[in-house]
Amino acid sequence: MRGEEEQKEASLAGLTIRTSSAASLSSKKGKDLQTDNASDSSPSIINSPFNSPSLVSPPSSAFVSALQSPYISPRATQPPITTTTTNHKPSPPVSYKGSQSEDVPSSSYTPPSDQYEFSDDPSDRKLKLSACTPDPAPPRISFSFPVPRVSLAKVSVSSPATNTKLRSSDVFIGFHGQNPNLVRFCKWLKSELELQGIACFVADRAKYSDTQSHEIADRVICSVTYGIMVVSCSSLLNYLSLEEVRFFAQKKNLIPIFYGTGPSEIMGLLNCNAIDKECKEAIDGLIKSHEFKLEANESNWRSCVGKTATILRGKLGRKSVVDKETVDRIDELPFPRNRSFLGREKEITEMEMAFFGNGEYLESTTPSTKGEASGQSEGLADEESDAVSTRNGKFISLELGKCSEPRSEAWIDPNGGKNSLKRLLKTKKYRNSGNCKSSTSVVCVNGVPGIGKTELALEFAYRYSQRYKMVLWIGGEARYFRQNLLNLSFSLGLDVSADAEKDRGRLRSFDEQEFEAFKRIKRELFRDMPYLLVIDNLETEKDWWEGKDLNDLIPRNTGGTHVLITTRLPKVMTFDTVQLPVLPSSDAMVLLRGRRKKDYPAEEVEILKLFEEKLGRLSYGLWVIGSLLSELSIPPSALFEAVNKVQMEERSASPFVNLNDEQYCKSNPFVAKVLAFVLAVLEQAEGNRNLLSLKMLLVGAWFAPVPISVNLLAAAAKNMPTSGNRFSKWNKCLSHTFAWCGGCGLGRRSEEDAAFLLVRLGLARMTNRQPGCWIQFHPITQTFARRRDYILAPKATVQGVRKIDNPLLNLDHLWASAFLVFGFKSEPPLVQLQAMDMVLYIKRTALPLAITAFTTFSRCNSALELLKVCTNVLEEVEKSFVSQIQDWRQGSLCWKKKTNKKVDEYVWQDVTLLKALLLETRAKLLLRGGHFDSGEELCRTCISIRTVMLGHNHELTLSTQETLAKLVIMRSKI
């Protein structure tokens, strides 16, 4: 009895693990085993919770216990002891702060790899080496062999969760290696499978330094339906990975994914003399299970993950939770790939190294001695830990701190044998690797306007799109940045609407609702699922609407997501920066030759060099000149002479062009002359009949810097009146140049042809937006066009916006029109509308925009501010009506006869009723945010207006009274 009590105390103090050979198992009796283990009360490895995979579990998993599985084989060989603690499962540490509502072992946790993350308790070491004697038992019996096992893993009575059960998993994902890209791929695969409703457990068991983690992993491996082995060069150097391959191959549920290697290379290893029987069995199992041909390399990650998810969904009979097939979406990137892209290889390589590191991650090659980690992750992730190291002529297995004889010469080669498997695989790794460089998650590409930042980001996105689940592209312009971030909810399949707030059981402030909307996007965007977020043309580090810092939108830890920012700012926060230089002379000359790549004589080449010098070798100006040379079939000398003859007028600064753009126009006069020449060419070629391309260019400058539908652009252009020939004074000096345009096909054309002409001249570019035809103007093009016309074109833009059919596809353009009509912050309104036009604009554009912004995107403060501005404008219109009536009554008869204007009573009525509608809408929205006093005041004003205009019993008046009743009741409750 005393021996049994001591045994119980020892087992409760920690995990007592001892292994024995198969022969000793059959020869010893139960009593001998019990006495032997009771005498060895000090465990060889102290149970450490830090590497335990028992932290977080996916919500889709079901509670099961795999203890009765015939394949389970524990690391202890004792018979079960009948105590109340034998059914206790491993539990997470008390200090864990992850999922506080769940304290069950996880089926989806990968242990951390920080080699310096040790416990503060000196007795709780991650790695312990036992005394080396030739007699101790060999390593633990593998679960790969059909040997019956009974687990004796126990936990302390003081554990916070001693009655937890292991959650089930459908798939085990095994891998081995310290390459960050390999870990990134496995996390992506796990996230994608769980998105499809398939519970996963991903693990590199070589990183586990405590027995509890290995026990949990063993049970999961034995209970899953399928095993996915991500086979890399490191996998064949790790006997745990080979163990997993052999086990799943025997059960015929192995699905191998070759990562960075292939079956031919793996089969070639069979010729190596150092391969043992177990390794040959593992390779044979991999080849026989390679029916699905899953081979992952850096150019097909997305396709491989999607194919794997499809296979497992079919095998497990699961239906896709959401329709998110991993195929290339046509509108994922905003523009088609630039087939004329050239150069910038150094910058692209620098960006790749920043995001993905420089090649493979090289493990430490120095064997660890005296129980030190020696650079390996958690003491067990190094290749040297897969083998055993020598000390004093004896072999020490670092796995579980056990001493054993070497398993095979394939794993121990002290003399560096000629045909060593490890030498062959390591040679391949070193050949494909460079020095490892730590990666970052945010990279900024900065440079002057027109240098090619967007082109570089677009090329990078196309080249490396397969390494990401999806590429998300948004504009970084200050006015639209906030809305563009919220637009990501469509691509991510999220609901950020304010309508859901009424189901949360309590009223929340508008700031809380907006914060929650951004929090949902950030939570989805910055996790293990890898996305590439491109923020193009970031104008400021501060939010234009509320002045929030950029760090509030982009966290320090972006998970698997990479963020690529293009900006004119010299520095953005503390993010890594790639400074973009001007193009080299050779590449600049290629752009100047245009799409036709025409060869010019020596004297014309000298003219091209003058263009290169004048334009500062900036890609935008070079591309426009090359487009003119290609489309007009004009020699460079004639074009250079014509551009030099253009005289720039001194114009007052447009109130809608910021100071940076104005400064750029003044510091680049030659670019201004080139664009003025392009406008003259458009007007001369089309004559005074239509000028559709020219009008589309002028009105397009006042739309938002996002893709514009050609139909919308043409509708706005047709609202712009045709004036006289603005460039008539240039006709004589440019007549020789225009003679070259006779047969170039720039005459009258349809809407799409007119838009395509702007693309061919280098002023805009085609986009991938569907349906229909969409184009987007270059920011420099918009800047110069705004300086050309800021009276007629903005008004035509506002009138064209009324014809927008789908507001969700054109939210930025709707906001742009609101800025033109109302102005915001310190900016005055640029477009003055008549009373009836203002009523129509507010009713058809501003009011739907505010409701959509509030309900769909939780932009509560912005929507209420817009409605308030609309109300103030209508009040000013009412005052003007009253003033006109008073002047008419008090004026002389002579004045009355000269006055042709008359106040339209119907317009006045429309203005007043629209004001009442705005007041009621504001009151309803304020009700959702808990502003009952302000809402009640607005509601009473609305009731007064409608009672006078419509009557007390009108349905609109009664509906407003119901809203007022809700406000009063809610206020009384609070």
Side-chain angles (χ1 to χ4, degrees), residues 247-322:
F247 174 72
F248 288 121
Q250 290 174 9
K251 292 181 64 178
K252 301 185 183 302
N253 62 351
L254 173 65
I255 301 178
I257 300 178
F258 292 94
Y259 179 89
T261 184
S264 59
E265 297 181 6
I266 299 298
M267 291 184 65
L269 298 175
L270 293 174
N271 300 324
C272 178
N273 297 333
I275 283 192
D276 61 358
K277 180 181 178 181
E278 294 178 357
C279 188
K280 289 182 179 179
E281 289 180 1
I283 294 177
D284 185 63
L286 288 174
I287 301 304
K288 289 183 178 179
S289 304
H290 190 50
E291 57 177 314
F292 299 110
K293 311 295 183 184
L294 296 175
E295 300 180 19
N297 54 65
E298 294 177 345
S299 62
N300 72 339
W301 282 6
R302 185 193 299 191
S303 302
C304 185
V305 170
K307 185 177 180 181
T308 305
T310 302
I311 292 171
L312 285 169
R313 242 187 7 249
K315 284 183 170 293
L316 295 172
R318 306 288 173 83
K319 292 184 179 181
S320 180
V321 178
V322 288

Side-chain angles (χ1 to χ4, degrees), residues 391-405:
R391 187 177 67 176
N392 298 328
K394 304 271 179 92
F395 294 90
I396 305 173
S397 174
L398 300 186
E399 196 276 324
L400 296 180
K402 297 294 187 297
C403 300
S404 66
E405 297 294 334

Side-chain angles (χ1 to χ4, degrees), residues 834-850:
Q834 299 295 327
M836 194 60 203
D837 293 334
M838 181 64 72
V839 170
L840 293 176
Y841 176 80
I842 293 177
K843 186 180 296 185
R844 298 179 182 178
T845 304
L847 182 58
L849 173 61

Side-chain angles (χ1 to χ4, degrees), residues 704-770:
V706 295
I708 312 172
S709 170
V710 171
N711 294 333
L712 174 61
L713 197 60
K718 291 176 181 178
N719 290 321
M720 187 175 177
T722 301
S723 58
N725 193 341
R726 305 179 185 184
F727 306 99
S728 57
K729 59 181 180 181
W730 296 354
N731 286 350
K732 293 182 180 180
C733 61
L734 301 180
S735 57
H736 176 69
T737 303
F738 291 147
W740 293 91
C741 307
C744 63
L746 301 183
R748 189 171 183 176
R749 55 194 63 242
S750 65
E751 294 178 357
E752 292 190 3
D753 291 337
F756 189 58
L757 174 60
L758 299 175
V759 175
R760 287 164 51 196
L761 293 177
L763 304 176
R765 64 184 309 161
M766 299 297 296
T767 69
N768 290 329
R769 182 76 67 88
Q770 295 290 340

